[in-house]
């Protein structure tokens, strides 16, 4: 879809404010034109000047004729009152038009934001691997605002064009010769604006790029604030961001300098047009200038009142060009055809009866050549535990990510009770799974709300029971406000082990049928590890569990252990079987045993 089509698509979703803005613009133009047209004859009449309407446009003659039954000052005073009413109506419609276009603009911002948010929630994880969060926040914030302004500018341009059109008709009815000349002169003036418009677009692109770079850099700095502080890199980070701020300031200045040139240039050209018309009028109406002075003055006044609208149109062209890059960014962002989306499946998932089969599973990350999983065949019966072990990079996390369909296999399939995972509704399927990983995510909210995140209807009793089973109750009640304590961004107020136990309690509360565990107890001390391990054992009980094991001591009781090496399953069996085989598992085991004798 072209950016302009995007603007039209969103604008058409709000037909009433859109039509309102245009109709009000048109009415304003009409009142403006009528009041201007009557102004000079009325003023001259009030000053006692003889008005000769011979040769005046029929429109003006008709307007005068409706007041013919009145005599003397009464006639011109009544006409003046009409002019004032027309000016009042023009201002009322212009106020209403501003409100309506403001409403349209706000509605458009909300619409685009909502569509952007929906897209962000629908799109696959793969999209996030390639896209920076700062960039996304910038798109949803500044760029959407700029796009809405672009739409509003386009609507205003339309209503300005209507106004100019109405003025032109009045001018044509007064003198078509002068109007042709003034139109040609004004068109040349507008063409000369193209230079500024082109530059406005270039500066708009620079501004858009720099806003993105700045947002990305700030977010990255904030996400890595611990690293920044621990390496005492504050001043380096500050300088990097300072440069970005200055670069943006410079681009903003260039953009403003260019945009500010448009009005004075237009005004000068407008004055030149007026002078030219005056001179040409003298030439055309030589000999009858006295008689036609009222009409010529009216013409000039209308032209004079029209010029700001021509200027406005030219300014709007510049502003629109300046905003066009943001429209392109938002257009690109809202496109769904170039982003990854999972097929959603159609069968609601209810319960498993037999188990999960990984069948000839191969996987390559999108956009990469290297196969990360190669012909993996595994069988995980219901209610049992399958542990994945292997060296770093062997493909354990990748295999675990295929189960909740964060990615789909490139070849082979995963069967749940003999039915392809892809057939199940994605939403109900994921609801049946609980994932507890090493990098536990906690919201900046109370302990209670963090626990109940996956189950909003959980009662206090259920929350407390889950916390107790996860060995988390004791530390929670010791927090300043117990379950109502706010735990800070990502749970910074808690220790690693406490965060993990909260994550486990959350999973217990959710009570998932299938559990995916990324066991990471290496960062914890022995007491913490024991508490976490106890909580994990509680969580695993009677569930179908896939465990990524980093410490072999924690999975010795697993029903099956699969050893992965470079994407292949090289060994499978129980702890005792694998030790007996004396293969890779036995090697890994003896290595860990010598490194960490206390944990085995
Ligand atoms: P670890 O024990 O260190 O977590 P792992 O066995 O879980 O390792 P994976 O994380 O599954 O290994 O990674 C397997 C391979 O896939 C690695 O070579 C890794 O570089 C690659 N990989 C992981 N994630 C991506 C990604 N999003 N895009 C491309 N390649 C990836």
């Amino acid at each position: 879809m072209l950016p302009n089509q995007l603007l039209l698509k969103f604008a058409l979703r709000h037909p009433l404010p859109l039509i309102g803005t245009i109709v009000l613009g048109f009415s304003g133009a009409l009142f403006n034109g009528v009041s201007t047209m009557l102004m000079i004859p009325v003023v001259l009449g009030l000053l006692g000047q003889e008005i000769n309407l011979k040769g005046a446009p029929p429109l003006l003659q008709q307007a005068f004729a409706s007041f013919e039954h009145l005599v003397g000052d009464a006639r011109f005073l009544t006409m003046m009152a009409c002019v004032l009413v027309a000016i009042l109506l023009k201002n009322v419609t212009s106020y209403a038009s501003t409100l309506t276009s403001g409403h349209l603009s706000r509605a458009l911002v909300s619409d685009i934001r909502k569509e952007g948010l929906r897209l962000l929630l629908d799109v696959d994880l793969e999209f996030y691997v390639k896209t920076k969060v700062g960039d996304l926040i910038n798109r949803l914030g500044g760029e959407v605002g700029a796009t809405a302004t672009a739409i509003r500018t386009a609507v205003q341009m339309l209503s300005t064009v209507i106004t100019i059109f109405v003025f032109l008709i009045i001018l044509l009815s007064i003198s078509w010769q002068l109007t042709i000349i003034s139109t040609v002169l004004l068109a040349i003036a507008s063409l000369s604006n193209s230079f500024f418009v082109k530059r406005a677009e270039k500066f708009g692109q620079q501004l858009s790029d720099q806003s993105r770079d700045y947002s990305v850099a700030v977010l990255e700095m904030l996400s890595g604030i611990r690293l920044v502080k621990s390496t005492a890199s504050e001043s380096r980070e500050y300088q990097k961001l300072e440069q970005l701020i200055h670069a943006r300031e410079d681009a903003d200045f260039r953009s403003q300098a260019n945009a500010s040139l448009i009005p004075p240039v237009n005004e000068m050209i407008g004055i030149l047009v007026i002078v030219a018309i005056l001179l040409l009028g003298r030439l055309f109406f030589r000999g009858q200038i006295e008689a036609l002075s009222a009409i010529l003055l009216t013409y000039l006044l209308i032209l004079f009142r029209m010029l700001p609208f021509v200027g406005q149109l030219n300014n709007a062209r510049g502003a629109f060009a300046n905003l066009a890059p943001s429209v392109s960014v938002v257009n690109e962002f809202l496109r769904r055809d170039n982003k990854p989306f999972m097929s959603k499946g159609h069968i609601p998932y209810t319960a498993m009866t037999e188990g999960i089969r990984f069948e000839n599973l191969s996987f390559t990350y999108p956009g990469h050549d290297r196969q990360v999983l190669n012909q993996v065949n595994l069988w995980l019966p219901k209610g049992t535990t399958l542990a994945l072990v292997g060296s770093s990079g062997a493909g354990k996390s990748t295999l675990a990510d295929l189960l909740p369909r964060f990615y789909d296999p490139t070849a082979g399939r995963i069967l749940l009770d003999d039915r392809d995972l892809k057939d199940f509704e994605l939403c109900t399927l994921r609801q049946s799974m609980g994932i507890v990983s090493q990098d536990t995510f906690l919201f900046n909210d109370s302990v209670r709300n963090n626990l109940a995140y996956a189950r909003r209807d959980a009662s206090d009793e259920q929350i407390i029971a889950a916390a107790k089973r996860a060995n988390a109750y004791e530390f929670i009640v010791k927090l300043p406000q117990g379950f109502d304590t706010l735990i800070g961004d990502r749970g910074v107020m808690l220790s690693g082990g406490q965060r993990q136990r909260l994550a486990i309690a959350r999973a217990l509360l959710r009570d998932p049928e299938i559990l995916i565990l990324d066991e990471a107890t290496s960062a914890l001390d022995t007491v913490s590890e024991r508490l976490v391990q106890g909580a994990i054992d509680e969580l695993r009980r009677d569930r179908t569990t896939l465990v990524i094991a980093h410490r072999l001591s924690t999975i010795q009781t697993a029903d099956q252990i699969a050893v992965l090496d470079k994407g292949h399953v090289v060994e499978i069996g129980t702890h005792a079987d694998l030790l007996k085989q004396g293969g890779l598992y036995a090697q890994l085991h003896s290595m860990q045993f010598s490194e960490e004798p206390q944990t085995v």
Side-chain angles (χ1 to χ4, degrees):
M1 192 191 284
L2 291 171
N4 288 344
Q5 282 173 301
L6 170 92
L7 297 188
L8 197 63
K9 180 183 125 186
F10 278 100
L12 287 178
R13 283 194 197 168
H14 301 276
L16 274 183
L18 183 65
I19 294 170
T21 309
I22 295 169
V23 169
L24 288 168
F26 179 73
S27 322
L30 217 54
F31 291 128
N32 202 344
V34 168
S35 62
T36 313
M37 191 172 70
L38 290 177
M39 187 81 84
I40 293 288
V42 170
V43 170
L44 288 178
L46 278 174
L47 292 175
Q49 297 257 341
E50 185 67 23
I51 298 170
N52 183 357
L53 285 177
K54 206 156 73 70
L59 202 67
L60 199 56
Q61 288 187 13
Q62 260 172 24
F64 261 74
S66 14
F67 297 94
E68 247 167 17
H69 59 285
L70 298 165
V71 283
D73 275 357
R75 181 171 168 207
F76 291 107
L77 283 173
T78 316
M79 285 174 77
M80 182 51 117
C82 289
V83 169
L84 289 177
V85 169
I87 293 176
L88 178 76
L89 286 175
K90 177 221 127 192
N91 283 305
V92 169
T93 46
S94 136
Y95 175 67
S97 165
T98 310
L99 287 190
T100 320
S101 72
H103 170 73
L104 178 67
S105 168
R106 281 188 294 276
L108 289 170
V109 172
S110 303
D111 261 18
I112 302 176
R113 287 213 171 116
K114 281 190 269 184
E115 188 147 329
L117 272 180
R118 182 123 307 283
L119 180 130
L120 287 181
L121 288 169
D122 285 351
V123 75
D124 276 1
L125 282 182
E126 182 197 334
F127 172 75
Y128 292 96
V129 175
K130 294 183 196 146
T131 319
K132 296 181 171 170
V133 177
D135 186 11
L136 293 176
I137 289 175
N138 180 46
R139 288 188 209 186
L140 264 188
E143 300 293 29
V144 167
T147 302
T149 311
I151 300 180
R152 197 167 55 161
T153 308
V155 174
Q156 273 167 357
M157 272 161 81
L158 192 64
S159 104
T160 312
V161 167
I162 294 172
T163 309
I164 293 173
F165 189 66
V166 171
F167 272 100
L168 274 180
I169 289 175
I170 298 173
L171 287 177
L172 264 177
S173 73
I174 297 178
S175 166
W176 62 266
Q177 300 97 324
L178 289 181
T179 308
I180 289 180
I181 294 167
S182 46
T183 310
V184 170
L185 289 175
L186 287 174
I188 293 173
S190 293
L191 274 182
S192 73
N193 272 280
S194 301
F195 169 71
F196 298 111
V197 170
K198 274 218 173 67
R199 276 163 56 99
E201 190 165 357
K202 188 178 94 183
F203 293 139
Q205 183 67 56
Q206 287 176 358
L207 265 179
S208 170
D209 289 349
Q210 266 143 11
S211 303
R212 184 199 54 218
D213 292 350
Y214 176 70
S215 305
V216 168
V218 169
L219 208 90
E220 224 159 55
M221 184 269 283
L222 290 177
S223 319
I225 193 73
R226 287 179 76 90
L227 177 68
V228 172
K229 291 210 174 282
S230 63
T231 53
S233 310
E234 288 96 332
S235 52
R236 200 178 63 206
E237 283 297 319
Y238 179 77
Q239 276 162 12
K240 194 171 86 188
L241 286 168
E242 194 186 28
Q243 270 176 11
L244 288 173
I245 290 173
H246 285 316
R248 200 183 179 285
E249 192 184 348
D250 285 348
D252 211 9
F253 170 71
R254 283 195 294 273
S255 180
Q256 193 210 0
N258 181 62
S260 309
L261 267 177
I262 299 177
V265 167
N266 279 319
E267 189 174 314
M268 283 313 296
I269 292 175
I271 299 290
L272 288 179
V273 171
I274 297 260
V275 171
I277 295 293
L278 203 58
L279 295 176
L280 289 168
R282 243 169 70 122
L283 199 73
F284 283 146
F285 306 114
R286 199 198 309 254
Q288 32 169 347
I289 199 89
E290 191 106 329
L292 290 179
S293 63
I295 296 166
L296 199 59
L297 267 180
T298 303
Y299 187 91
L300 284 176
L301 185 67
I302 295 176
L303 188 63
F304 203 70
R305 294 216 56 176
M306 187 183 89
L307 284 176
F309 290 105
V310 177
Q312 234 177 56
L313 185 63
N314 285 323
N315 294 346
R317 277 175 63 207
F320 190 76
N322 199 247
L323 297 167
S326 300
V327 179
S328 297
V329 167
V330 170
N331 188 42
E332 182 62 25
F333 171 50
L334 292 182
R335 274 177 64 186
R336 285 189 167 236
D337 58 328
N338 61 354
K339 295 185 186 64
F341 290 94
M342 282 280 154
S343 60
K344 296 261 187 267
H346 56 280
I347 302 170
Y349 178 83
T350 45
M352 181 165 52
T353 50
E354 292 164 33
I356 304 167
R357 186 178 299 284
F358 298 84
E359 196 178 81
N360 297 326
L361 212 62
S362 295
F363 183 74
T364 307
Y365 277 101
H368 291 77
D369 299 328
R370 202 166 58 84
Q371 228 177 27
V372 176
L373 293 174
N374 204 335
Q375 295 281 320
V376 172
N377 284 294
L378 291 167
W379 166 238
L380 170 55
K382 178 182 155 75
T384 66
T385 295
L386 167 65
L388 302 174
V389 302
S391 51
S392 178
K396 305 179 293 287
S397 304
T398 306
L399 184 60
D401 277 355
L402 296 184
L403 193 52
R405 287 193 68 206
F406 290 152
Y407 297 94
D408 276 335
T410 9
R413 37 188 204 159
I414 301 177
L415 300 168
L416 239 164
D417 288 348
D418 293 329
R419 189 176 273 285
D420 196 324
L421 213 57
K422 288 184 200 168
D423 293 343
F424 292 108
E425 258 179 18
L426 198 57
C427 177
T428 47
L429 180 75
R430 285 187 182 158
Q431 274 165 2
S432 73
M433 297 185 185
I435 304 172
V436 179
S437 64
Q438 4 187 347
D439 49 345
T440 306
F441 187 86
L442 294 169
F443 291 98
N444 187 355
D445 203 340
S446 65
V447 172
R448 183 191 313 277
N449 288 344
N450 265 293
L451 291 185
Y453 181 74
R455 202 173 146 195
R456 288 281 164 214
D457 59 346
S459 65
D460 275 0
E461 291 71 37
Q462 286 168 324
I463 291 176
I464 290 170
K468 280 185 178 160
R469 285 174 65 198
N471 288 338
Y473 183 75
E474 276 183 22
F475 88 79
I476 295 174
V477 289
K478 283 190 197 137
L479 291 172
Q481 281 92 36
F483 279 85
D484 294 316
T485 312
L486 295 176
I487 55 174
D489 242 2
R490 289 176 169 246
V492 282
M493 277 179 51
L494 304 174
S495 74
Q498 290 172 335
R499 282 202 290 271
Q500 276 191 359
R501 278 178 278 155
L502 279 195
I504 293 167
R506 183 156 70 188
L508 274 167
L509 196 61
R510 175 118 180 248
D511 194 19
E513 188 180 14
I514 302 163
L515 184 66
I516 301 165
L517 267 178
D518 194 346
E519 272 196 345
T521 48
S522 49
L524 308 176
D525 61 50
T526 325
V527 179
S528 245
E529 186 191 331
R530 213 163 280 150
L531 286 170
V532 171
Q533 194 53 49
I536 285 178
D537 291 343
E538 179 65 26
L539 182 62
R540 254 169 46 183
R541 185 176 302 153
D542 301 328
R543 269 179 240 277
T544 313
T545 310
L546 186 69
V547 194
I548 301 172
H550 295 275
R551 290 191 150 190
L552 305 186
S553 55
T554 58
I555 44 110
Q556 286 176 6
T557 55
D559 303 282
Q560 297 179 83
I561 299 170
V563 186
L564 262 84
D565 188 31
K566 298 191 186 85
H568 295 269
V569 177
V570 288
E571 286 168 30
I572 184 150
T574 60
H575 172 71
D577 294 342
L578 294 176
L579 277 188
K580 225 182 282 162
Q581 275 182 31
L584 189 55
Y585 181 82
Q587 253 177 45
L588 289 170
H589 186 265
S590 69
M591 270 161 63
Q592 278 200 4
F593 183 76
S594 60
E595 274 169 21
E596 301 159 22
Q598 79 281 12
T599 63
V600 179

